[in-house]
Amino acid sequence: MEQGSSGLRRLFREVAKFGAVGGAGVLVNLGVFNLVRQATDLQVVRASVIATVVAIVFNYVGFRYFTYRDRDKSRRTREMSLFLLFSVIGLVIENGVLYTATYGFGWDSSLQSNIFKFLGIGIATLFRFWSYRTWVFRALPVRERPVAAGGATMAGERPRQRVP
């Protein structure tokens, strides 16, 4: 049971850190979205895509150096490629919700755009959390101590008995 509760604590900490970075990323995303909408004549989805790209860059830095700083760093090119791939899929999910609301249903007031932008971010976040932790920021393998003949570890200790 001890291993199960420590695994749950680890997952809780990971979700909390992911949420902290993601929450800051949502603020960046919505802030840039509204700034671009106010400062330019860009269509709503184009402004949203720009905001999403800025948030993706912000989130990568936060995830790599805060949430998943203890994860494998040996294959950065692969990590960044997968991060970008899954981020683009998240971008499509996020902005697909906004596109559908705006052009499918005609809900395009500033308040409606922000609501559907936020809803799209939420749906895309579920996908991103799963994909980032599963494929991008992979956990380092657990290293076991070498075991000598007779069940003793190389340091002369007896392995612990696992209690079911």
Side-chain angles (χ1 to χ4, degrees):
M1 189 63 148
E2 187 69 32
Q3 281 185 332
S5 65
S6 70
L8 241 79
R9 278 194 302 269
R10 225 178 5 260
L11 179 62
F12 178 77
R13 279 193 306 270
E14 179 182 343
V15 169
K17 287 180 175 182
F18 187 93
V21 172
V26 167
L27 294 177
V28 167
N29 197 332
L30 290 172
V32 171
F33 173 64
N34 285 291
L35 180 67
V36 171
R37 295 244 4 242
Q38 294 298 317
T40 70
D41 291 331
L42 285 177
Q43 296 173 346
V44 67
V45 176
R46 288 184 182 164
S48 180
V49 168
I50 291 168
T52 304
V53 169
V54 171
I56 286 169
V57 172
F58 175 87
N59 286 344
Y60 178 79
V61 172
F63 292 142
R64 168 39 59 211
Y65 297 104
F66 178 66
T67 306
Y68 298 113
R69 70 176 174 254
D70 61 337
R71 299 289 176 100
D72 185 9
K73 297 175 184 86
S74 64
R75 296 186 262 171
R76 269 303 155 87
T77 303
R78 177 184 180 278
E79 174 185 291
M80 289 183 86
S81 299
L82 288 173
F83 182 85
L84 286 173
L85 171 69
F86 292 123
S87 293
V88 167
I89 294 169
L91 180 145
V92 169
I93 293 168
E94 176 183 328
N95 291 290
V97 171
L98 182 61
Y99 181 91
T100 302
T102 303
Y103 301 110
F105 295 101
W107 297 328
D108 61 355
S109 73
S110 182
L111 177 62
Q112 290 168 328
S113 294
N114 277 285
I115 289 170
F116 288 103
K117 171 83 171 152
F118 187 77
L119 179 64
I121 290 170
I123 294 168
T125 296
L126 295 173
F127 168 76
R128 288 178 178 128
F129 177 73
W130 169 80
S131 63
Y132 293 165
R133 79 179 310 261
T134 304
W135 300 103
V136 180
F137 301 107
R138 298 180 60 114
L140 290 168
V142 177
R143 291 192 177 141
E144 294 187 23
R145 299 174 112 179
V147 178
T153 63
M154 296 305 267
E157 304 163 349
R158 285 279 202 207
R160 287 191 206 171
Q161 292 290 328
R162 263 190 126 165
V163 178

